[in-house]
Amino acid sequence: MSKQRVSENQLLPEHYETPPIGILKWIFLVLLCITLGFLFNFPLTQVIEGKIQKAISGVKNCNIAYKELSLNFLFLPNLNLRTPSVSGRCIGGKEIKLDELAIKFRGPGFSPFGVKLLTQAGVNKSKFEVYSTIGPKEQVISVPSAIFHFSDFKNLYEDVFKIRGIGSLNALGNVKNSSLSSGTFKLDLKGLEIPPQTISGFDVPSLVLGTGVVKGKYNNQKLTFDNLDLGNAHSPIRATFKGTIDINPRSMKNSRLNLTGKVNFSKEFLDDFSILNIFLQKIKMENGFYMLRVTGTVSRPIPS
């Protein structure tokens, strides 16, 4: 058998053969190259950022302003807004300025079927994490635990009512047509204190309540309290209420109150605030608690 003789500059036929990696792998490599070429040459990030900017500015009565928007696709896509602020028209109050706002993609959602997102926000010491599943017709929002300090949001409510303390919120809600339609919540309070202020014409001294629990639900612009407990056995005031608040979406302070419950005042508090005894003489008392009904508005409550 004779050997094939080749020159130094000539390659054998086997050098021209395609490496045996399979036709499907070759197709995959070609598609991968095309995809990478498209991503590196087409301004995809700018297009997506433009869509996001349009969506953020297009939310009716609840615009989000910011200095800079950044979007990256490392691992899972995420969006960051620098020095964002939320329009006060969202809650009928003043503007909310945030330290940070990040929205992170968390894969597909199945209840409802759609996209699952994690939103992280912070204001001074207050931190929030909100999980949302966005479907074609509705959105489900879950807040497993949000820690906030009342002092970080005092510009929202101090013209109506002053309060200090720390809250831990657990909530679940449904959003339809860009508005909250229903939900449940539980708010645990600690370090609760009411600074000196005037409430319904009364000059109220500083009150250290300590702890509190607020539990309820929301449906069609009505807030229902199943539990509203403030203070403990060592507090100058202990209160337990149930009832509703009819929410005024344009002005929270004008929302209507309809609450019933009972209040206990310590002897020291009544001694220091003796003028209150004139009002309490007309109130029914059971087991050391005064039985009260509170109507009027959030800014002008009327106890009776």
Side-chain angles (χ1 to χ4, degrees):
M1 184 175 182
S2 63
K3 274 189 175 182
Q4 184 177 1
R5 305 181 76 180
V6 297
S7 66
E8 292 182 1
N9 297 321
Q10 183 179 356
L11 295 177
L12 293 173
E14 54 264 29
H15 288 103
Y16 295 95
E17 294 179 359
T18 303
I21 64 172
I23 187 63
L24 291 179
K25 291 182 179 179
W26 271 110
I27 294 173
F28 172 78
L29 288 173
V30 171
L31 291 176
L32 179 62
C33 290
I34 294 173
T35 302
L36 290 175
F38 175 81
L39 292 176
F40 282 118
N41 290 281
F42 186 78
L44 182 63
T45 300
Q46 289 89 334
V47 171
I48 295 176
E49 285 182 359
K51 295 289 185 182
I52 293 172
Q53 289 170 351
K54 185 177 179 180
I56 290 174
S57 61
V59 179
K60 187 178 180 180
N61 295 327
C62 198
N63 295 332
I64 299 176
Y66 54 90
K67 285 187 176 180
E68 184 180 345
L69 181 151
S70 62
L71 180 69
N72 71 69
F73 295 91
L74 184 64
F75 301 114
L76 292 176
N78 65 82
L79 168 74
N80 292 278
L81 300 180
R82 183 185 168 197
T83 60
S85 61
V86 181
S87 170
R89 287 179 293 180
C90 288
I91 57 173
K94 298 179 181 178
E95 180 186 51
I96 306 172
K97 293 184 178 180
L98 305 175
D99 296 331
E100 59 178 339
L101 179 61
I103 303 173
K104 301 179 179 181
F105 177 70
R106 284 295 178 263
F110 301 98
S111 182
F113 185 78
V115 177
K116 196 169 186 178
L117 302 174
L118 167 62
T119 302
Q120 296 174 314
V123 182
N124 294 330
K125 297 179 180 179
S126 302
K127 303 297 178 185
F128 302 88
E129 285 196 347
V130 180
Y131 291 87
S132 56
T133 303
I134 303 174
K137 293 185 178 181
E138 66 174 323
Q139 179 178 348
V140 174
I141 298 174
S142 173
V143 184
S145 181
I147 306 298
F148 65 91
H149 296 244
F150 282 101
S151 58
D152 291 338
F153 302 94
K154 60 184 180 181
N155 66 312
L156 298 179
Y157 59 82
E158 281 212 332
D159 56 341
V160 177
F161 184 73
K162 296 180 177 67
I163 190 170
R164 299 287 184 270
I166 301 173
S168 176
L169 176 67
N170 180 283
L172 182 67
N174 287 78
V175 175
K176 293 182 179 179
N177 298 321
S178 301
S179 299
L180 182 65
S181 60
S182 62
T184 59
F185 64 91
K186 182 183 179 185
L187 177 63
D188 292 300
L189 303 167
K190 65 179 182 179
L192 200 59
E193 179 184 358
I194 299 176
Q197 59 191 291
T198 300
I199 301 177
S200 297
F202 292 100
D203 292 326
V204 180
S206 177
L207 301 174
V208 179
L209 302 180
T211 59
V213 177
V214 183
K215 186 178 180 181
K217 51 185 172 286
Y218 176 87
N219 191 45
N220 294 326
Q221 296 187 357
K222 184 183 288 288
L223 196 60
T224 301
F225 295 102
D226 301 321
N227 244 46
L228 200 166
D229 297 333
L230 300 175
N232 52 48
H234 305 290
S235 304
I237 296 178
R238 292 168 60 193
T240 299
F241 280 91
K242 293 182 179 180
T244 62
I245 299 179
D246 291 317
I247 301 297
N248 184 331
R250 295 185 178 181
S251 176
M252 185 64 188
K253 65 182 181 180
N254 291 323
S255 299
R256 305 294 302 182
L257 302 172
N258 186 11
L259 303 172
T260 57
K262 55 185 182 179
V263 181
N264 172 267
F265 301 97
S266 70
K267 183 180 182 303
E268 293 79 8
F269 176 78
L270 289 175
D271 289 342
D272 295 337
F273 197 45
S274 56
I275 193 173
L276 186 61
N277 288 297
I278 300 174
F279 168 75
L280 293 176
Q281 288 176 358
K282 305 174 184 179
I283 304 299
K284 181 181 178 181
M285 192 174 186
E286 292 183 7
N287 301 319
F289 284 84
Y290 293 94
M291 313 306 291
L292 287 175
R293 184 185 179 197
V294 181
T295 55
T297 65
V298 172
S299 61
R300 292 182 177 273
I302 303 173
S304 60

